[in-house]
C-alpha cells in the first residue's frame, strides 16, 4: 500500500534536481490538504442536512422543505430542502464576528483552529480506499488515536478563553469525557491489533480479506465492535453523550461564546470527527474497502479496485453516520455521573476482559 | 455483582427497544408525519361556533364579502362603518341615458353603476355594522349563516398588504363611460375634469340649515382681531345668547386678548342689534324628513313600541320608499313584512293608518340637497409644505366640516388650531385663507 503523497511525489518529482523535489513536495501537500479540507467541508454540509432529515423523520416531522438549489426542490421526500444547509453555510460565513470584551482574545481565536487541525491531521492517516490515503503510516491506528486527542486541547482553550462559566464547565466536562472514552476505544482497537498483528490499516484490511471481517471474527471481537461504536459516539460529543454541550444545562457548553465563522469551524470539525470515527469503524471492523459480497464467497472482479473500494468504504461509513444519528435522536442525554459510570465501570472492564479472552482465543485457534 | 450484570442487561434491552422505536418512526414516516406544510397545504376548515346555540355569533370573526351584482350603491355600509374602511364610488347615468345598471337579485332596479367598492380589511374590525343597513343584503360576513352565499374562508392572509384591500367592483372602462362616467374616469386617472356647463346638473339649492350671521363681525378690519371676535361670537351664538349678551362676550374676549380698541365700539353695537342667525332655528324636523322618502315620515313608525317590530317596519319602509312606491303601497309592504315576521298587531295597524293618511297628502318631490359647507376644497391645504402641519390642518378641517360649520368658521378654526400648535406662519395663514377664496 502506497500513500497519495508518495505517488504524487513520484509523479511530479524528478530525482535529479533537489530544488524541484522541494517544490513538488509542497504541491503534493497542498493538493492533499485541499482534498481533505473539501471532504471535511462537504461532509459538514451534507451531514447537517442528513441529520436534520433523519431527526425529522424519527420525530414524525419532515425537516427542511423550502430551500432548493437553483429552483430544484426534491418534492415531498428526502431531498425536499436540499439547499437548506448551503443557505445556512452562507449565513454562518457572513455573520458578524463577535468576541466578548472580557475574553482572552488570542486564545479564543486560536482554539477553533487547534480543534480543526486535530481533525485535519487525523484525516491524513485515515484510508479512503485501497492505496488511497494521504500518508500511509505503519502505525496508522496509533497515529489516528493520537492526532484525534489533540482536539481536546482546543476545547479546553475555547472554554477557558471565553471567560464564561458555561464555557468552562463544558470544556472541563468535555476534557473528562474525551480522555475517559479514549481508553475503551484504544482497548477495543487493541483487540484487532492483537489479532491482525499490525497497526497499519492496510494490513488489517488485508487480514480481513484473508480471513473474515472483524465484527464476526469472534464473540469478543463483536463486543469490541459494540464498545468501539458506543465510545466513538461519546468521543465525538454527540447525544446521548453530549454533556459538554448540554443545551438545557450549559447553553452550548464550550461553544457558548462562539458564533459565525469560528463556530462553523467547530461544527465542521465535529462532523469530520464523526466521519473519521465511522470510517475507522468500517475499516477496522467491517472490512474497509472490501466488497460485502465477498463474505458470501461471491467475487466479481469488476466490483473491485480503488473506486469501488471508495464506494464501499463510504457506504459503510454512511451507515455508521446514520447509526450515530439514530442514537442521537433515540436516547436522552446521560447525567455526568452516569457517563463516567458507563465508561469506567462498564466499557473499560468489558474491553479489558475482551483482550484477555481474545488472547486466549488466539492461543487456542 | 448480580445487580451489576442485571443493570447492564436491562440497559441493553432498553437500548434495543429505544432504537427499534425510533427506527419504526423513521421507516413509517409516510404514515406518521404530522407536519402540514402550511402555506402550501391547509387543513380543511371547519365552521366556527362558540359551543352553544347562537348561530349568528358565527359571523363575527369572518371576512366581509360583497355580492357586487346586488349592490345598488346606496353607500349605507360606507356610512355605517366606524373605521371608514369601505369606499364606494358610483356613477349615476345622466337623465335620458340608455344605460341600464341592471337589477339586483331581489328585483330592485339599480339606479347607478358602482364603479368602485373597496374594503380595506387591514382596517376592518369585523364589527358587522355595515351588514345591517344593506337593503339588498349584498354585504355580509362569509360563512356561518351566510355559508350558502359564500363559503367561509380558511384565512385572510395575503402576501402583500396591498392585497388586503379588496376591490369588489371592477367594471370595465367602457361600462363606466357608457354610464356617463367620463368625469369619474378622468378624475381617477388624475386628468383635469373637462369643464362642463352646469346645464345637466341641477343647481345646488342653498342649505336650509340656519347660518350664523357674521356680517357685523366681518366689519372688523384687523385680521387677528376679527378671528378672535368671530370665535367668541360663534361660541356665544351657539350658547343661545341674546344679541346684546353676545356683543358683551365678544367684547370681553377681545379685551382679554388686549385687542379691544374704541374703534370696535361701533361693531359691538351693530352686533347687539343684528340678527344672529340668517334664518331662525325654525322647525328642524322638516329638514330631517328626507325628500326621497316621498313625503312619508319614517318617524311615524317610532310609535311602535316593540323594538323588533319597529326595525322590521322601518326596513320595509325604506325598501318600499326606495322603490318609489306611494304611501298606500308602502304601508302594504310594511304590513306584509311584519306579517311574514309574525309581528303584525293592532298597534301596527293604527300606526300604518296614520302613515297612509300623512303620506297621501304630500306629493313626492325630489331634489338633491347637500349642505353648502362641503363646498370648501381640502386640496387647497396640500399647499402646506410641512407634513405635520398639513396633517393637523386637514384633521381640523375635516372635523370642522363634519360639524357642519360654515367656510369662514372652518378657516378660523384651522388657523386657531395651527396657532395653538405653534405651527402657524404667515405663509400657511395665506393658504388657509385661500380656502375660503376658492369657493
Amino acid at each position: 500500500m502506497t500513500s497519495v503523497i508518495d505517488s504524487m511525489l513520484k509523479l511530479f518529482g524528478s530525482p535529479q534536481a533537489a530544488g524541484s523535489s522541494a517544490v513538488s513536495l509542497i504541491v503534493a501537500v497542498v493538493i492533499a490538504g485541499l482534498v481533505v479540507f473539501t471532504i471535511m467541508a462537504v461532509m459538514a454540509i451534507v451531514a447537517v442536512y442528513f441529520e436534520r432529515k433523519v431527526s425529522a423523520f424519527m420525530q414524525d416531522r419532515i425537516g427542511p422543505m423550502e430551500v432548493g438549489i437553483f429552483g430544484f426542490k426534491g418534492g415531498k421526500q428526502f431531498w425536499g430542502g436540499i439547499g437548506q444547509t448551503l443557505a445556512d453555510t452562507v449565513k454562518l460565513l457572513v455573520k458578524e464576528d463577535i468576541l466578548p470584551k472580557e475574553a482572552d482574545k488570542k486564545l479564543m481565536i486560536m482554539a477553533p483552529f487547534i480543534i480543526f487541525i486535530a481533525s485535519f491531521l487525523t484525516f491524513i492517516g485515515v484510508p479512503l480506499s485501497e492505496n488511497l490515503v494521504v500518508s500511509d503510516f505503519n502505525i496508522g491506528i496509533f497515529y489516528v488515536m493520537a492526532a484525534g486527542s489533540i482536539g481536546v486541547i482546543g476545547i479546553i482553550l475555547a472554554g477557558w478563553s471565553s471567560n464564561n462559566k458555561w464555557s468552562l464547565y463544558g470544556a472541563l466536562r468535555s476534557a473528562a469525557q474525551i480522555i475517559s472514552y479514549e481508553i475503551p476505544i484504544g482497548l477495543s482497537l487493541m483487540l484487532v491489533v492483537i489479532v491482525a498483528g499490525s497497526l497499519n490499516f492496510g494490513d488489517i484490511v488485508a487480514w480481513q480479506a484473508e480471513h473474515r471481517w472483524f465484527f464476526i471474527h469472534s464473540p469478543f471481537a463483536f463486543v469490541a465492535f459494540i464498545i468501539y461504536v458506543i465510545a466513538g459516539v461519546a468521543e465525538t460529543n454527540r447525544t446521548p453523550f453530549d454533556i459538554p454541550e448540554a443545551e438545557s444545562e450549559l447553553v452550548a457548553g464550550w461553544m457558548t461564546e462562539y458564533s459565525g465563522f469560528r463556530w462553523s469551524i467547530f461544527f465542521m470539525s465535529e462532523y469530520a470527527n464523526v466521519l473519521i470515527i465511522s470510517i475507522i469503524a468500517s475499516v477496522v471492523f467491517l472490512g474497509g474497502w472490501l466488497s460485502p459480497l465477498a463474505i458470501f464467497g461471491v467475487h466479481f472482479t469488476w466490483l473491485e479496485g480503488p473506486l469501488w473500494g471508495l464506494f464501499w468504504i463510504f457506504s459503510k461509513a454512511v451507515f455508521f453516520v446514520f447509526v450515530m444519528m439514530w442514537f442521537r435522536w433515540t436516547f436522552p442525554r446521560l447525567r455526568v455521573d452516569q457517563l463516567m459510570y458507563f465508561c469506567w465501570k462498564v466499557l473499560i472492564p468489558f474491553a479489558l476482559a475482551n483482550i484477555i479472552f481474545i488472547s486466549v482465543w488466539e492461543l487456542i485457534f | 455483582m448480580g445487580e451489576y450484570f442485571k443493570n447492564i442487561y436491562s440497559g441493553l434491552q432498553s437500548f434495543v427497544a429505544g432504537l427499534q422505536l425510533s427506527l419504526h418512526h423513521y421507516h413509517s414516516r409516510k404514515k406518521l408525519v404530522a407536519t402540514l406544510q402550511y402555506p402550501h397545504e391547509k387543513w380543511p376548515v371547519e365552521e366556527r361556533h362558540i359551543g352553544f346555540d347562537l348561530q349568528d355569533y358565527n359571523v363575527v370573526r369572518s371576512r366581509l364579502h360583497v355580492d357586487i351584482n346586488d349592490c345598488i350603491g346606496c353607500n349605507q355600509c360606507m356610512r355605517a362603518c366606524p373605521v371608514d374602511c369601505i369606499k364606494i364610488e358610483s356613477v349615476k347615468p345622466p337623465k335620458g341615458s340608455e344605460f341600464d345598471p341592471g337589477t339586483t337579485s331581489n328585483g330592485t332596479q339599480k339606479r347607478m353603476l358602482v364603479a368602485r367598492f373597496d374594503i380595506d380589511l387591514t382596517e376592518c374590525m369585523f364589527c358587522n355594522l355595515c351588514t345591517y343597513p344593506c337593503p339588498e343584503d349584498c354585504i355580509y360576513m362569509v360563512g356561518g349563516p351566510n355559508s350558502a352565499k359564500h363559503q367561509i374562508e380558511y384565512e385572510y392572509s395575503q402576501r402583500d398588504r396591498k392585497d388586503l384591500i379588496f376591490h369588489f367592483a371592477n367594471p370595465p372602462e367602457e361600462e363606466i363611460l357608457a354610464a356617463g362616467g367620463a368625469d369619474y374616469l378622468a378624475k381617477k386617472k388624475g386628468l383635469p375634469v373637462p369643464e362642463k356647463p352646469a346645464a345637466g346638473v341641477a343647481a345646488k339649492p342653498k342649505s336650509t340649515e340656519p347660518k350664523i350671521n357674521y356680517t357685523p363681525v366681518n366689519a372688523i378690519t384687523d385680521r387677528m382681531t376679527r378671528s378672535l371676535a368671530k370665535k367668541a361670537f360663534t361660541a356665544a351664538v351657539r350658547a343661545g345668547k341674546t344679541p346684546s349678551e353676545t356683543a358683551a362676550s365678544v367684547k370681553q374676549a377681545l379685551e382679554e386678548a388686549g385687542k379691544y380698541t374704541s374703534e370696535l365700539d361701533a361693531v359691538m353695537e351693530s352686533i347687539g342689534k343684528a340678527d344672529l342667525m340668517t334664518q331662525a332655528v325654525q322647525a328642524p324636523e322638516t329638514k330631517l324628513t328626507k325628500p326621497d322618502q316621498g313625503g312619508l315620515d319614517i318617524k311615524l313608525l317610532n310609535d311602535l313600541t316593540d323594538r323588533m317590530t319597529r326595525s322590521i317596519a322601518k326596513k320595509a319602509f325604506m325598501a318600499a320608499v326606495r322603490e318609489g312606491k306611494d304611501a298606500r303601497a308602502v304601508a302594504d309592504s310594511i304590513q306584509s313584512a311584519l306579517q311574514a315576521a309574525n309581528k303584525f298587531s293592532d298597534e301596527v295597524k293604527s300606526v300604518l293608518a296614520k302613515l297612509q293618511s300623512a303620506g297621501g297628502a304630500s306629493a313626492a318631490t325630489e331634489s338633491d340637497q347637500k349642505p353648502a359647507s362641503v363646498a370648501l376644497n381640502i386640496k387647497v391645504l396640500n399647499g402646506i409644505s410641512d407634513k405635520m402641519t398639513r396633517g393637523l390642518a386637514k384633521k381640523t378641517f375635516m372635523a370642522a366640516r363634519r360639524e357642519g360649520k360654515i367656510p369662514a368658521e372652518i378657516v378660523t378654526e384651522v388657523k386657531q388650531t395651527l396657532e395653538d400648535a405653534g405651527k402657524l406662519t404667515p405663509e400657511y395663514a395665506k393658504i388657509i385663507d385661500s380656502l375660503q377664496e376658492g369657493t
Side-chain angles (χ1 to χ4, degrees):
Chain A
M1 186 164 162
T2 49
S3 75
V4 173
I5 294 251
D6 289 345
S7 29
M8 274 200 287
L9 282 179
K10 264 181 214 145
L11 197 66
F12 300 133
S14 56
Q16 288 84 13
S20 72
S21 79
V23 172
S24 56
L25 179 66
I26 291 171
V27 170
V29 167
V30 167
I31 290 177
L34 280 178
V35 169
V36 170
F37 181 80
T38 313
I39 291 175
M40 286 171 75
V42 170
M43 169 64 192
I45 291 174
V46 172
V48 169
Y49 183 77
F50 199 56
E51 175 121 49
R52 291 183 68 173
K53 276 295 184 185
V54 168
S55 69
F57 291 156
M58 284 181 178
Q59 296 171 349
D60 299 344
R61 298 182 287 117
I62 49 179
M65 290 298 288
E66 288 298 320
V67 188
I69 298 178
F70 302 121
F72 168 75
K73 288 213 269 180
K76 286 206 73 167
Q77 277 310 304
F78 200 87
W79 303 111
I82 187 76
Q84 183 68 53
T85 41
L86 279 182
D88 286 348
T89 310
V90 172
K91 181 208 77 172
L92 269 181
L93 294 185
V94 300
K95 256 188 162 178
E96 187 189 352
D97 184 27
I98 299 172
L99 281 177
K101 199 177 163 194
E102 300 290 321
D104 190 337
K105 297 208 173 62
K106 270 184 208 158
L107 293 186
M108 199 170 168
I109 293 172
M110 209 159 76
F113 297 102
I114 292 179
I115 294 173
F116 178 78
I117 284 168
S119 38
F120 190 85
L121 286 181
T122 314
F123 245 112
I124 289 173
V126 173
L128 299 179
S129 177
E130 194 172 9
N131 297 335
L132 192 66
V133 56
V134 177
S135 189
D136 189 24
F137 300 99
N138 53 5
I139 50 162
I141 289 182
F142 182 70
Y143 171 78
V144 166
M145 288 280 302
S149 318
I150 297 175
V152 81
I153 298 174
I155 289 177
I156 293 174
L157 275 188
W160 175 259
S161 64
S162 297
N163 203 359
N164 174 329
K165 52 189 171 300
W166 310 127
S167 302
L168 190 57
Y169 272 132
L172 291 179
R173 283 182 180 191
S174 184
Q177 174 182 336
I178 291 180
I179 291 169
S180 302
Y181 276 82
E182 258 162 17
I183 299 168
I185 288 189
L187 290 175
S188 52
L189 290 179
M190 196 188 283
L191 179 145
V192 174
V193 173
I194 287 171
V195 175
S198 170
L199 285 165
N200 184 292
F201 286 114
D203 292 348
I204 290 172
V205 177
W207 191 94
Q208 294 181 75
E210 230 170 276
H211 300 85
R212 53 187 179 273
W213 291 8
F214 263 111
F215 84 110
I216 49 171
H217 164 261
S218 60
F220 313 114
F222 184 75
V223 172
F225 170 64
I226 300 288
I227 291 175
Y228 176 82
V229 171
I230 292 173
V233 175
E235 190 76 356
T236 54
N237 283 342
R238 290 171 61 83
T239 327
F241 304 103
D242 69 336
I243 59 158
E245 279 178 51
E247 296 92 344
S248 44
E249 305 163 34
L250 299 182
V251 188
W254 46 278
M255 297 196 282
T256 305
E257 297 292 351
Y258 284 88
S259 65
F261 180 67
R262 279 184 249 286
W263 185 81
S264 67
I265 289 180
F266 281 145
F267 222 62
M268 204 160 108
S269 313
E270 190 188 315
Y271 277 103
N273 284 337
V274 169
L275 188 63
I276 289 166
I277 293 282
S278 304
I279 290 179
I280 290 176
S282 51
V283 169
V284 172
F285 290 101
L286 292 187
W289 48 84
L290 302 175
S291 157
L293 300 175
I295 299 180
F296 312 108
V298 188
H299 287 279
F300 295 111
T301 40
W302 55 271
L303 265 182
E304 279 146 28
L307 276 183
W308 276 106
L310 195 68
F311 170 76
W312 290 123
I313 212 165
F314 267 96
S315 325
K316 290 164 188 173
V318 165
F319 168 74
F320 275 109
V321 170
F322 175 78
V323 167
M324 284 185 170
M325 291 173 182
W326 187 10
F327 282 0
R328 175 166 180 181
W329 299 106
T330 302
F331 300 114
R333 182 183 309 127
L334 295 175
R335 231 165 40 216
V336 182
D337 63 314
Q338 287 172 334
L339 185 93
M340 288 299 157
Y341 175 93
F342 189 53
C343 179
W344 291 97
K345 286 189 167 175
V346 180
L347 294 186
I348 292 178
F350 271 76
L352 284 171
N354 252 342
I355 288 182
I356 295 167
F357 288 135
I358 201 74
S359 311
V360 173
W361 174 286
E362 281 298 296
L363 284 174
I364 294 170
F365 299 100
Chain B
M1 204 61 185
E3 186 73 22
Y4 172 79
F5 283 107
K6 229 161 90 186
N7 270 345
I8 292 177
Y9 180 69
S10 71
L12 272 178
Q13 261 186 331
S14 65
F15 177 80
V16 174
L19 289 181
Q20 273 175 344
L21 182 69
S22 51
L23 197 64
H24 164 72
H25 279 259
Y26 182 82
H27 275 306
S28 38
R29 55 180 177 270
K30 277 184 189 161
K31 236 179 22 218
L32 294 173
V33 159
T35 311
L36 194 83
Q37 288 201 274
Y38 160 64
H40 312 304
E41 310 168 302
K42 288 162 184 172
W43 290 114
V45 64
E46 285 176 33
E47 284 290 340
R48 295 148 204 254
H49 59 83
I50 56 169
F52 54 88
D53 188 23
L54 185 51
Q55 287 293 309
D56 280 353
Y57 211 86
N58 217 350
V59 301
V60 169
R61 285 291 175 93
S62 195
R63 180 170 81 72
L64 276 179
H65 182 78
V66 180
D67 287 336
I68 196 64
N69 289 335
D70 284 354
C71 179
I72 58 171
C74 67
N75 289 5
Q76 300 222 46
C77 47
M78 186 164 100
R79 276 185 232 126
C81 182
V83 293
D84 293 342
C85 72
I86 303 176
K87 177 73 183 164
I88 303 173
E89 281 167 5
S90 41
V91 174
K92 189 165 191 179
K95 266 184 190 150
S97 163
E98 293 286 300
F99 183 79
D100 179 21
T103 52
T104 68
S105 56
N106 289 349
T108 314
Q109 172 64 44
K110 290 202 265 187
R111 296 287 156 88
M112 45 186 119
L113 176 71
V114 180
R116 177 182 171 195
F117 197 126
D118 293 353
I119 297 183
D120 187 350
L121 283 180
T122 59
E123 288 184 20
C124 178
M125 61 179 192
F126 309 100
C127 64
N128 214 14
L129 286 177
C130 51
T131 65
Y132 295 113
C134 184
E136 298 294 331
D137 291 334
C138 74
I139 183 166
Y140 52 85
M141 292 281 180
V142 300
N146 295 320
S147 47
K149 288 200 247 174
H150 195 293
Q151 273 303 313
I152 194 159
E153 284 180 20
Y154 183 79
E155 65 186 344
Y156 321 121
S157 61
Q158 301 285 342
R159 293 269 174 188
D160 194 324
R161 192 183 284 191
K162 282 205 300 279
D163 297 339
L164 278 170
I165 302 174
F166 283 72
H167 309 286
F168 288 102
N170 294 301
E173 280 192 12
E174 301 85 61
E175 208 180 335
I176 296 177
L177 282 176
D183 288 2
Y184 172 78
L185 276 181
K187 208 169 142 195
K188 204 169 153 194
K189 289 174 185 167
L191 300 174
V193 180
E195 283 284 333
K196 254 208 260 176
V201 191
K204 283 172 190 158
K206 286 269 180 232
S207 170
T208 52
E209 205 177 335
K211 266 193 201 170
I212 298 174
N213 184 4
Y214 282 107
T215 334
V217 189
N218 282 340
I220 303 173
T221 44
D222 180 52
R223 191 186 264 170
M224 276 290 276
T225 318
R226 187 164 70 230
S227 85
L228 281 172
K230 270 189 186 174
K231 210 174 163 198
F233 182 75
T234 315
V237 173
R238 287 255 172 73
K241 291 184 180 172
T242 62
S244 52
E245 277 167 8
T246 310
S249 59
V250 171
K251 190 174 170 183
Q252 193 192 343
L254 291 182
E255 272 168 349
E256 275 167 21
K259 294 276 183 191
Y260 192 76
T261 57
S262 54
E263 294 158 28
L264 296 176
D265 283 343
V267 178
M268 292 306 139
E269 207 169 299
S270 67
I271 291 175
K273 282 177 200 158
D275 276 342
L276 296 183
M277 296 288 198
T278 45
Q279 288 172 14
V281 198
Q282 43 183 279
E285 287 86 354
T286 49
K287 179 177 67 85
L288 291 174
T289 311
K290 286 183 187 156
D292 65 353
Q293 285 172 12
L296 291 176
D297 192 353
I298 197 169
K299 288 207 161 175
L300 287 170
L301 293 175
N302 286 346
D303 294 346
L304 295 172
T305 45
D306 182 47
R307 204 162 143 197
M308 276 288 276
T309 317
R310 191 162 69 231
S311 82
I312 294 171
K314 280 191 179 180
K315 206 170 168 187
F317 176 89
M318 293 302 286
V321 166
R322 214 170 286 115
E323 283 167 34
K325 291 181 181 169
D326 63 2
R328 208 187 158 68
V330 169
D332 283 348
S333 57
I334 294 175
Q335 186 175 338
S336 58
L338 286 177
Q339 271 164 347
N342 208 9
K343 294 277 184 190
F344 196 72
S345 66
D346 286 342
E347 186 197 3
V348 179
K349 216 190 251 174
S350 67
V351 170
L352 286 185
K354 236 192 278 177
L355 185 72
Q356 277 188 38
S357 58
S362 64
T365 50
E366 288 208 11
S367 65
D368 296 336
Q369 292 196 341
K370 280 185 189 170
S373 63
V374 298
L376 287 185
N377 192 354
I378 195 169
K379 287 197 175 160
V380 175
L381 292 177
N382 287 343
I384 298 177
S385 53
D386 181 51
K387 206 168 161 188
M388 281 281 286
T389 317
R390 187 165 69 233
L392 190 62
K394 281 193 178 178
K395 210 169 148 189
T396 321
F397 177 87
M398 294 301 286
R401 193 163 78 176
R402 217 170 291 126
E403 284 167 26
K405 293 187 179 168
I406 62 159
E409 231 176 296
I410 295 175
V411 169
T412 321
E413 192 146 321
V414 172
K415 271 189 188 165
Q416 188 61 42
T417 316
L418 291 191
E419 204 177 341
D420 289 347
K423 301 262 186 192
L424 190 71
T425 64
E427 199 184 332
Y428 292 161
K430 214 180 281 171
I431 291 170
I432 297 166
D433 280 335
S434 67
L435 260 179
Q436 209 169 352
E437 287 154 22
T439 55

